[in-house]
């Protein structure tokens, strides 16, 4: 959603809702979405192409196809079974910590272990192969429609559509989970590989999602800051907040230094 808004250049006010802190179950949020699901858009304009056109049908097809993927199952499965991943950005201690703790009745942990069935996970990952085969075929069609050198199109046509938003976010998550080598690269789905290399250079993508290893940092830091403000005494909270901010600044410095040396 944030990527779509950034690509459209729309102005909006963002509010981070912390799932670990159960903010999605608080009364104010339940009034916005009784299902307690994120994200929620308030007064959002319609971001769809003109209805009735071939382009519109194509965009809608791939949006529905990609948005129906069970990303929670892929994510939880890769956390619980790191042996199926290659070059995953999930910290190794995450699996050890989760496996070592007794199972509780909490919503988050219950949902996590719902995807601990390796046979079912393998079935889902095999089905994902078929979806990405469709995408690869569609990207090949676009390449054949614009054979001129230097002319590049996107998934459904010349414009970066909402279907591209869905595809870009999906590929970025698969990269983070350590599944990219299975689904593209090394001569496998070359169009998809080239697409991902292009999409990560888009200004809106870099601004909203950034490098793949930023996913973990952007997920952890807001929660850490809120925990510090919510639970710690005033003096301890201030010290912890300063420590976290110092650590975040150092991480940002290392990332910037790495970019400059590449």
């Amino acid at each position: 959603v944030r990527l779509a808004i950034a690509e459209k250049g729309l102005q909006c006010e963002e509010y981070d809702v912390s799932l670990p802190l159960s903010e999605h179950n608080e009364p104010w949020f339940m009034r916005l979405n009784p299902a307690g699901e994120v994200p929620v858009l308030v007064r959002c304009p319609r971001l769809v192409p003109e209805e009735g056109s071939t382009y519109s049908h194509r965009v809608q097809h791939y949006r529905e196809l990609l948005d129906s993927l069970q990303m929670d199952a892929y994510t939880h499965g890769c956390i619980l079974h790191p042996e199926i991943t290659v070059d995953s950005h999930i910290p190794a201690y995450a699996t050890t910590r989760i496996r070592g703790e007794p199972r509780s009745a909490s919503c988050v942990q219950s949902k996590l272990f719902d995807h601990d069935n390796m046979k079912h996970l393998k079935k889902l990952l095999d089905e994902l192969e078929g979806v990405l085969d469709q995408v690869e075929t569609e990207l090949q069609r676009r390449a054949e429609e614009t054979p001129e050198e230097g002319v590049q199109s996107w998934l459904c046509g010349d414009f970066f559509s909402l279907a591209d938003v869905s595809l870009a976010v999906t590929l970025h998550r698969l990269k983070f989970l350590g599944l990219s080598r299975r689904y593209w690269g090394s001569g496998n789905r070359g169009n998809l590989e080239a697409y991902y290399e292009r999409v990560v250079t888009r200004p809106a993508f870099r601004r909203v999602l950034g490098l793949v290893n930023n996913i973990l940092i952007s997920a952890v830091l807001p929660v850490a800051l809120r925990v510090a403000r919510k639970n710690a005494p005033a003096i301890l909270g201030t010290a912890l907040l300063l420590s976290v901010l110092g650590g975040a600044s150092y991480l940002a410095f290392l990332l910037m230094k790495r970019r400059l040396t590449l």
Side-chain angles (χ1 to χ4, degrees):
V1 173
R2 293 176 61 227
L3 180 57
I5 290 173
E7 285 286 351
K8 292 289 184 179
L10 302 176
Q11 297 296 320
C12 72
E13 182 179 350
E14 296 184 10
Y15 183 86
D16 291 326
V17 176
S18 172
L19 300 184
L21 294 179
S22 295
E23 290 181 345
H24 59 299
N25 292 324
E26 293 184 2
W28 68 268
F29 186 81
M30 297 296 285
R31 286 193 293 271
L32 296 175
N33 186 349
E37 297 177 345
V38 294
V40 172
L41 301 179
V42 180
R43 301 193 194 97
C44 179
R46 244 182 122 176
L47 302 178
V48 296
E50 182 180 354
E51 296 181 356
S53 66
T54 301
Y55 176 76
S56 172
H57 289 310
R58 191 182 299 154
V59 170
Q60 189 64 24
H61 167 72
Y62 280 104
R63 282 188 66 199
E64 292 175 355
L65 180 65
L66 294 164
D67 292 347
S68 69
L69 295 175
Q70 299 191 42
M71 296 305 299
D72 281 352
Y74 308 151
T75 302
H76 298 160
C78 288
I79 293 174
L80 295 171
H81 298 279
E83 67 275 9
I84 69 173
T85 69
V86 178
D87 295 335
S88 172
H89 291 267
I90 300 171
Y93 66 80
T95 302
T96 305
R97 178 73 181 271
I98 292 170
R99 288 291 190 190
E101 291 183 351
R103 298 195 182 190
S104 68
S106 71
C107 180
V108 174
Q109 194 177 41
S110 175
K111 188 175 182 181
L112 181 69
F113 281 104
D114 281 346
H115 303 130
D116 197 17
N117 186 324
M118 191 62 188
K119 182 177 180 180
H120 181 61
L121 177 62
K122 184 179 183 301
K123 178 176 177 291
L124 293 178
L125 294 176
D126 288 344
E127 291 173 350
L128 179 56
E129 296 270 7
V131 171
L132 294 182
D133 280 341
Q134 287 189 52
V135 172
E136 175 70 13
T137 300
E138 194 67 49
L139 290 173
Q140 181 60 35
R141 291 195 189 103
R142 300 288 84 75
E144 293 171 355
E145 290 171 358
T146 55
E148 300 86 358
E149 185 176 351
V151 178
Q152 296 177 322
S153 57
W154 295 99
L155 178 58
C156 297
D158 295 336
F159 302 101
F160 192 87
S161 69
L162 290 178
D164 292 289
V165 170
S166 297
L167 179 56
V169 172
T170 297
L171 298 182
H172 206 49
R173 174 67 69 87
L174 295 177
K175 179 75 172 179
F176 172 77
L177 295 177
L179 295 174
S180 60
R181 288 198 185 184
R182 170 172 178 168
Y183 293 112
W184 69 85
S186 302
N188 181 34
R189 299 190 182 95
N191 291 306
L192 194 64
E193 180 181 17
Y195 177 96
Y196 181 69
E197 290 176 354
R198 278 201 298 143
V199 80
V200 297
T201 64
R202 290 182 67 84
F205 186 98
R206 294 172 67 90
R207 186 168 64 254
V208 173
L209 297 177
L211 299 174
V212 69
N213 54 348
N214 286 356
I215 293 177
L216 185 63
I217 296 174
S218 62
V220 171
L221 277 180
V223 175
L225 291 171
R226 287 188 193 181
V227 169
R229 290 197 301 264
K230 196 171 185 179
N231 299 328
I235 297 177
L236 178 60
T238 302
L240 179 59
L241 187 60
L242 290 173
S243 298
V244 172
L245 289 174
S249 300
Y250 181 67
L251 286 173
F253 167 77
L254 290 179
L255 288 173
M256 182 61 69
K257 182 179 179 181
R258 182 180 176 186
R259 289 180 186 176
L260 291 174
T261 55
L262 290 178

